[in-house]
Structure formats: C-alpha cells, structure tokens
Amino acid sequence: MMPAMGEEGERSELEQELNLFTPLLLTTDENFAPGHRACIGCGEALAVRHVCKALGTNVIVVNATGCIEIFSSLLPQTSWRMPWIHTLFENVGAVVSGVESAYKARIRKGKIPDRGVKFVGIAGDGGTTDIGLQALSGALERGHNILYCCFDNEAYMNTGIQRSSSTPYGAWTTTAPVGKRSIGQMTWKKNMPEIVVAHRIPYVATACPSYPLDLMEKVQKGLETEGPAYLHILSVCPTGWRCAPEETIELGRLAVETGVFPLYEVINGEYRMSVDFSVLRPVGDYLRRQGRFRHLTEKDVDRIQARVEEDYSKLREKTGAN
Amino acid sequence: MANADVISAYPITPQTHIVERLAEMIADGELDAEFICVESEHSAMSACVGASAAGARVFTCSAGQGLELMHEVLYIPSSMRLPVVAVAANRALSGPLSVWCDHSDAMALRDIGWIQIFAENNQQAFDLTVCAYRMAEDQDVLFPAMVHIDGFYLSHVIEDMELPDEADVADFIPDYEHPFVLDPERPVSMGCYAPPFIYLEAKMAQEVAFEATKPKILEVWKAFGETFGRSYEPVETYRMDGARTALLTMGSISESAMLAIDELRSEGKEVGLIRLRLWRPFPFAKFRQAVKNLDCLVVLDRAISYGMGGPVCGEVKAALYDKRKDLSIVSFIAGIGGRDITLDEFKYMINRGEEKAKMVALGEELEPEIIGVRE
C-alpha cells in the first residue's frame, strides 16, 4: 500500500527514502512521444505518458475516438512508439478482442512466434461509460487477455465539454448548463469500476496521474493479469473543469484526499485501498478550485459531502477496513 | 475451407446457421480458428477489423438489421485496406419487421468501399466466397470483399453442389501476409486523424486503388475457372443473341428469370437476360458492352429508394447516360420483403417493359412500377 498523503512527519524515514529512490528506477524511455497537441496542463496526456512508460513497447494499443486519439495522431505524425490503431468511438472492446484473438490463433497455428505481446484498449469516459459500454462489457465477459484503461476526464471534452454519465453531480457542462432550474449535472457519476467488478474479472483498479508510481504499478499488474484487467484513471482537464493548468496534479490529489475519487484495487474480488484516510478532507477543498462547480451553494456542497462519505464508507467496508 | 484464423459473428436470421456450422467445425476440431461470440454486429465487424489489422484471415456474416448496425464499421476496413471477407444473407429492413429477402440492406451498403459480388445459387455462394478471399488478399488489392446471397432463397435452400478438394482450395487461397500489421517488431499507427489538408488525399488514394482492383477481380475469376472449371464475369448474360430487349437482375431471382426468358424465346420473342454479378466496383465497360445492341432494358430492383425508385435502375441509367440516349430503360420493383416473383410476373415485366419503352422513347417520364401488390 502506498503511504497515505498528509504531513511529512507521518511517514517513516524508510518510506521517505523509498519515495525518493523509486522514481530513479523508472525508465527514461518516452513511449508516448512528446510534441503532441494536448491542451496545456492536460492530466490525460500525463496519464497516457505514465501508462506508456509502464506498458513498454511489446504491446498493441487500441484507441477509441476522443481527446487522446485526436491530440496524438494528427496525420502525418504520431506520438505512438508502439503499434497503435484507432477505428471508431464505441468499439475499443471489440477491436482489442479481435487483435488478441488474431494473435492467439496465429500463434497456435504456428504462423507467428509467441513473443508475449500484450493488448491494451484505451478510451475516455464517453467511450467507456456511455457509447462503448456494450463492447467493453462483451470483451470483459468473454475473458480476453487484455488491459483496458479508461481515461476519465468527466465529460466529452474533445467535442467541447458535454456531459457524460461520468460527469459528477453539480458540474457545469455545455449540455448540462447551469440555469434557473438547473445546477448543471443533475445525476450522480456512474460508478464504472463497480460495473466492471460485477463482471468478476481478475483485476480492477482506480488510479490518477497525481500518484504516478501507483498508476504505473497498476498498469504493470494489469498487464501481468491473465484475463481481462481494467484501470479507471481520473484525468484532470483544466479546459473542461475550468481550473488553472498548473493545478492539475494538485486537483488529482485533492480528488483522492477528499474521497471523491478513491484509489483502490479489486484483485480477484478482494478489495484493497491503495491510499486510505481515516479522515477525509472536506469536498469543498476540491470543488472550490474548479470553475465548473463555482455556482454550487453550501447546501449543494453538503449534499455532495454526504454522498462522498457514504460511498467512501461503503468502499472501505468492502475492504474489511470498517 | 478458407481456413480463417478469426471468425466473429452475431446471430441474425437468415444468416445464423452459417456461423452455427462454423462454430460446430471449431468445436469438433475441424477448423482451427478463434470464434468471437460478440454482443452485436457492430462488435462483430469491429473484432474482424482488429483481427485483420493484426494479420489474421477473418470471416463474418450478417443480414438486414445486422448489416445496418455494423454499417459504421464497414467503412473502416476499406479505408485501412484490410481484406475482411463477409457474407451478407440479404434481408428486408424494418419496419415492419421482416426476416425475408430483398436487397434493401445491400443497397444501403453501396458506398462502403468493399468489393461486392452477388451470387445466384449455392454453388456460386461457395465459389464466390473463395474468390473473395483471393481478391481481397491480393497484394495489389487489399480491400474487403462481401458476397451477397439472398436470404432464405439461398441461405436456407439445400441443393446439390460440387465441393472442391480442400487442398485445391488451400492452393488457390494460400496464407497471405499483409505488408502492414499491428506488430511490436515494426510499430505502425493505423487510423490516424486527418484534417482537411490531408483527408482528401487519403480518400483520393483509396478511390484510385479501388478502381485498380477491377483487372485483379477478372484475373481471380479467370484463375478460378481454370482451376475449378466454373467461370464468373462481372456482367453475365443469358440468351442475348439477337435480343433487342433484356431484363436486368441481381441475385437468386436470375435463375427464375432465365425460365421466363426461355418461355418468351419459345414464343418467338427476341429477349435476353443480363445479370449484374459485380456490384462494386461497378463494371461500367462490361455493362455497356452487354447492352450494346439493345433498344429496351428492363431493370428489376429488389429494393426501394424512397422518393427515387429502384436504386439499381438509377445506377444503370447513370452508367448509360450520355452513352446510349437511344436505349429506353424501364424500372420495375418486385420481390420486396420475401414476396415471390412468379414466372408470369417476369414475363409481364418484359412485355410491359417493351410497351413502356415506346412511351419512354417518345419522351414520357414513367414512374417505377411495383409488381405483385395485392389490391
């Protein structure tokens, strides 16, 4: 388990030393090349960079339409140093199933050698929780040997900040605008990791690039898993969240520390908190930093606080912590 | 027999038993392939695209609504130059719901950029699917190919056919290597994003390459004929000697139409039949050659383009516009939603077509006539 964030004094000396030493072990290879066209401060681009470091290059990446695909593949250039394919918005689960099956069949038939190639599907929250949900569910249910990463920036940012089912309650978006009769998003964020857990696949985890070592470790675990693995990565979007681009890392941390986006793993059905807090920071610390929540009243914030606490407590119960 | 590596399909009448049988063959160890039982036709074609991009030989089949659901995905293998092979068991589209045959689904797929071929009987369905692999996988082609077989009329009819030796088929369509596959040893990016400064060039390249498949398609059919003794042509004719009037058909109704032609010939009428086998790329030159001596062409459509008429007729007129102003083209629509077309109806269309041709020649504009509607 990662050391909990908080006062430096709470960590042992050994932990502090490890925290300084471990990054030195990371590869300096950039498998996701710089020079892409993401917005300034894009948490998603950062997350993809970390994920690609952990993936290495013996992988095939299948990408849904969305921000990542757009900012990384503008013809005639590409940021991908591993084989990469994009076809459509809603079919990553199916395409990656096809790629994996092709390798399986061709290796079995002796047409190609088995070099241990891994298969990774990546999509945004729209491509995962909305339009791509069916294809993903099919791939998980069939048990393909794949890792699926959802980069969740909590709205359709590529098309201009429209709400998705992953947009949090109370957030302003262009299709859930704030008005006399609306506080923006009127529904609660779909709990996608739990939907994936219900498929009883061997590995499910949440992650955030504000915790890069944890993120990379989870990518590696997902890759090593026999069968489907799913990673849900909170990706701060300064453009859509209406926050300063230099606050990306801090907001990711605040999302975790307030319990809004807890980091945890579900390994063969066993829940484990990656970072745990006995006392959560108030959600206001997270919400007030973002323009998309600036219209919320104290009452709205209280409602969100209650929901976050309830969800966090339920999650901890599953880990056996309560 | 094509020894596919990956098969991905979703159940839909009247296609289902094709993949059921393939699943049985895999279950019995007769066929070494991965069968991906997907959750939709959209995913079936998506999985085929992924598998084909990874270098596998793939197969799927679908029909009607299924083809419509996978419609979006069908444009992908043609733009990525992936030799996916599919069979379409043609079926009417909802609503009202119908599982029966017409060509509405096929006509909705005109612009997907696939090689599209129509079969008239089960022997042809087999032969043309084998040919489809050889066409699609030709290094100078590398386009997806679809064989249209009429739902029920072909998909559910049991008839005698000659199954060639498996080894001969394997020789005819040997394992192929795509020049660009998803392989970490040689990383490539596929399906990139193209802004206006480069999209047009990509599409132009696709169109030029697709046009260039025509001679390769002919080569494959010629080679098939030499190997297996059955030859195919982009446009095939029947009893066209001396004919001034011809009926144009596609798919299984062509065989019934032949009977009608025989009867009319025995009555002394000089009529023939033109069967359009290659639908895309459209065989303009071969088609114009086939209608060279005609005064009247009767086009039978198995689909309705609402507010426009018969889609095949529209295309045929376009193919002949400026070339054959003297040829009268008459449009009939029949066989919609599995309605049988009787021998008398075929004869009626040809006879009535000739009458209408005279009116067309006088400059009258005629609506397409729908045949067999109950009063």
Side-chain angles (χ1 to χ4, degrees):
Chain A
M1 196 210 297
M2 283 208 20
M5 298 302 294
E7 299 306 314
E8 284 297 310
E10 288 172 14
R11 296 179 188 169
S12 72
E13 271 184 38
L14 180 66
E15 277 174 340
Q16 285 187 42
E17 275 179 30
L18 273 176
N19 274 348
L20 291 172
F21 176 66
T22 312
L24 298 177
L25 299 175
L26 294 177
T27 176
T28 53
D29 290 350
E30 296 295 351
N31 301 325
F32 182 71
H36 53 71
R37 292 162 171 82
C39 304
I40 300 167
C42 175
E44 192 170 71
L46 188 64
V48 173
R49 182 184 164 202
H50 292 328
V51 167
C52 288
K53 271 182 184 287
L55 289 178
T57 51
N58 197 25
V59 295
I60 294 170
V61 175
V62 178
N63 198 166
T65 308
C67 284
I68 300 173
E69 171 260 335
I70 295 290
F71 69 62
S72 68
S73 82
L74 192 86
L75 273 175
Q77 295 168 321
T78 178
S79 293
W80 302 91
R81 294 214 159 110
M82 60 282 267
W84 175 91
I85 183 171
H86 155 259
T87 66
L88 296 165
F89 197 178
E90 69 278 50
N91 64 351
V92 162
V95 177
V96 75
S97 299
V99 176
E100 183 248 16
S101 298
Y103 266 77
K104 217 167 145 187
R106 278 162 63 79
I107 289 168
R108 190 174 64 228
K109 291 165 96 167
K111 291 184 176 179
I112 50 169
D114 186 358
R115 295 202 177 96
V117 180
K118 305 284 188 183
F119 312 97
V120 181
I122 61 176
D125 49 295
T128 303
T129 67
D130 288 345
I131 199 166
L133 183 59
Q134 177 179 317
L136 170 61
S137 177
L140 299 177
E141 169 270 321
R142 292 189 300 269
H144 294 277
N145 199 9
I146 55 166
L147 167 64
Y148 187 102
C149 299
C150 169
F151 294 87
D152 181 4
N153 56 18
E154 302 196 318
Y156 292 90
M157 299 308 183
N158 185 44
T159 44
I161 325 172
Q162 292 84 25
R163 65 86 76 182
S164 76
S165 62
S166 200
T167 302
Y169 177 83
W172 162 89
T173 60
T174 53
T175 51
V178 177
K180 284 177 188 162
R181 293 180 183 177
S182 169
I183 60 157
Q185 179 86 339
M186 306 281 267
T187 52
W188 296 94
K189 182 182 174 82
K190 186 186 275 185
N191 192 336
M192 190 61 207
E194 278 300 315
I195 292 169
V196 177
V197 168
H199 289 75
R200 300 187 68 166
I201 64 167
Y203 188 78
V204 182
T206 63
C208 175
S210 302
Y211 298 77
L213 299 182
D214 177 64
L215 168 60
M216 285 186 252
E217 191 188 325
K218 284 168 175 168
V219 171
Q220 279 162 354
K221 278 188 189 173
L223 271 190
E224 286 158 15
T225 302
E226 281 294 318
Y230 177 87
L231 207 49
H232 196 97
I233 305 165
L234 184 72
S235 307
V236 177
C237 173
T239 308
W241 293 15
R242 296 296 195 242
C243 62
E246 66 271 20
E247 291 186 346
T248 297
I249 305 296
E250 208 179 339
L251 271 172
R253 283 195 189 137
L254 284 169
V256 175
E257 290 169 21
T258 54
V260 167
F261 190 84
L263 298 186
Y264 63 98
E265 291 176 298
V266 187
I267 305 172
N268 295 316
E270 298 284 323
Y271 283 74
R272 201 164 78 181
M273 301 300 288
S274 309
V275 194
D276 198 7
F277 306 95
S278 45
V279 181
L280 295 171
R281 287 179 72 148
V283 292
D285 291 0
Y286 172 67
L287 302 177
R288 280 198 303 272
R289 302 283 285 272
Q290 304 171 53
R292 62 175 174 159
F293 292 118
R294 91 174 134 208
H295 55 282
L296 295 185
T297 62
E298 282 303 311
K299 210 173 141 194
D300 297 328
V301 174
D302 289 347
R303 191 177 297 124
I304 294 169
Q305 183 70 53
R307 173 86 175 205
V308 165
E309 282 174 16
E310 185 193 335
D311 286 352
Y312 197 81
S313 164
K314 277 184 190 163
L315 179 64
R316 289 193 84 226
E317 267 173 43
K318 288 179 188 166
T319 67
N322 287 17
Chain B
M1 227 179 250
N3 195 18
D5 300 314
V6 175
I7 297 164
S8 178
Y10 187 77
I12 183 168
T13 305
Q15 153 274 135
T16 317
H17 59 282
I18 300 173
V19 282
E20 280 174 1
R21 177 71 190 114
L22 289 169
E24 280 169 24
M25 287 168 73
I26 293 170
D28 290 335
E30 294 168 28
L31 174 63
D32 189 3
E34 284 294 308
F35 192 107
I36 314 177
C37 275
V38 283
E39 78 301 327
S40 72
E41 288 89 353
H42 195 283
S43 284
M45 187 47 61
S46 297
C48 283
V49 165
S52 183
R57 177 177 283 172
V58 302
F59 179 77
T60 190
C61 54
S62 193
Q65 304 306 128
L67 291 167
E68 285 300 296
L69 185 60
M70 67 166 67
H71 193 100
E72 179 194 26
V73 199
L74 290 167
Y75 290 79
I76 301 296
S78 45
S79 60
M80 282 195 191
R81 308 290 301 274
L82 300 174
V84 174
V85 170
V87 166
N90 300 124
R91 165 178 157 169
L93 297 176
S94 282
L97 176 66
S98 167
V99 299
W100 304 95
C101 176
D102 69 29
H103 291 171
S104 304
D105 54 358
M107 291 303 129
L109 305 182
R110 278 181 295 172
D111 301 330
I112 56 174
W114 289 47
I115 296 168
Q116 296 189 61
I117 304 161
F118 275 80
E120 293 163 1
N121 56 44
N122 284 346
Q123 183 71 58
Q124 291 182 6
F126 177 89
D127 292 352
L128 295 170
T129 306
V130 171
C131 290
Y133 277 104
R134 175 127 159 191
M135 290 171 188
E137 292 171 358
D138 187 298
Q139 298 292 312
D140 293 329
V141 175
L142 295 175
F143 273 103
M146 184 176 284
V147 178
H148 292 278
I149 66 169
D150 283 344
F152 290 102
Y153 292 99
L154 296 189
S155 67
H156 282 59
V157 164
I158 295 171
E159 58 184 3
D160 286 341
M161 59 182 280
E162 195 182 303
L163 266 188
D165 197 51
E166 207 164 331
D168 292 339
V169 175
D171 285 344
F172 190 73
I173 43 171
D175 286 344
Y176 93 107
E177 290 290 331
H178 196 288
F180 300 102
V181 295
L182 294 169
D183 177 5
E185 305 268 304
R186 292 186 306 154
V188 288
S189 288
M190 296 187 187
C192 293
Y193 167 53
F197 80 87
I198 200 164
Y199 182 86
L200 177 62
E201 284 68 23
K203 287 319 212 186
M204 178 72 189
Q206 183 181 335
E207 169 63 1
V208 169
F210 194 55
E211 269 296 316
T213 62
K214 282 179 182 172
K216 292 288 169 186
I217 292 168
L218 297 182
E219 271 177 38
V220 170
W221 276 335
K222 190 162 172 280
F224 187 88
E226 285 162 5
T227 314
F228 299 102
R230 286 180 297 276
S231 295
Y232 296 98
E233 292 284 339
V235 180
E236 292 180 18
T237 54
Y238 180 72
R239 300 192 74 168
M240 287 291 283
D241 42 304
R244 308 299 297 174
T245 296
L247 177 67
L248 178 92
T249 54
M250 289 163 88
S252 64
I253 51 170
S254 302
E255 295 203 331
S256 316
M258 286 179 200
L259 295 175
I261 297 293
D262 287 345
E263 288 200 8
L264 290 172
R265 280 274 179 180
S266 68
E267 289 165 19
K269 289 187 75 87
E270 293 185 327
V271 293
L273 180 69
I274 298 172
R275 301 122 71 203
L276 203 49
R277 177 168 312 291
L278 181 64
W279 178 230
R280 284 293 186 277
F282 193 89
F284 287 99
K286 300 271 179 192
F287 178 69
R288 285 175 195 141
Q289 177 69 21
V291 300
K292 188 173 68 190
N293 297 320
L294 294 179
D295 300 323
C296 169
L297 179 64
V298 181
V299 181
L300 172 49
D301 261 287
R302 260 196 124 158
I304 305 171
S305 176
Y306 302 99
M308 184 272 190
V312 177
C313 187
E315 299 234 343
V316 161
K317 281 180 178 170
L320 297 172
Y321 188 76
D322 269 359
K323 304 280 183 200
R324 285 295 310 275
K325 295 221 160 152
D326 58 318
L327 174 62
S328 299
I329 302 170
V330 183
S331 174
F332 288 96
I333 292 169
I336 301 294
R339 184 67 60 87
D340 288 329
I341 308 171
T342 65
L343 208 51
D344 283 343
E345 283 170 341
F346 279 112
K347 285 156 73 176
Y348 166 82
M349 280 185 268
I350 296 166
N351 289 330
R352 175 77 184 135
E354 283 185 332
E355 285 170 28
K356 283 184 153 188
K358 286 172 196 150
M359 293 150 78
V360 174
L362 291 171
E364 273 190 58
E365 275 193 34
L366 297 177
E367 297 287 318
E369 189 175 331
I370 301 181
I371 300 298
V373 184
R374 286 183 293 110
E375 293 298 323

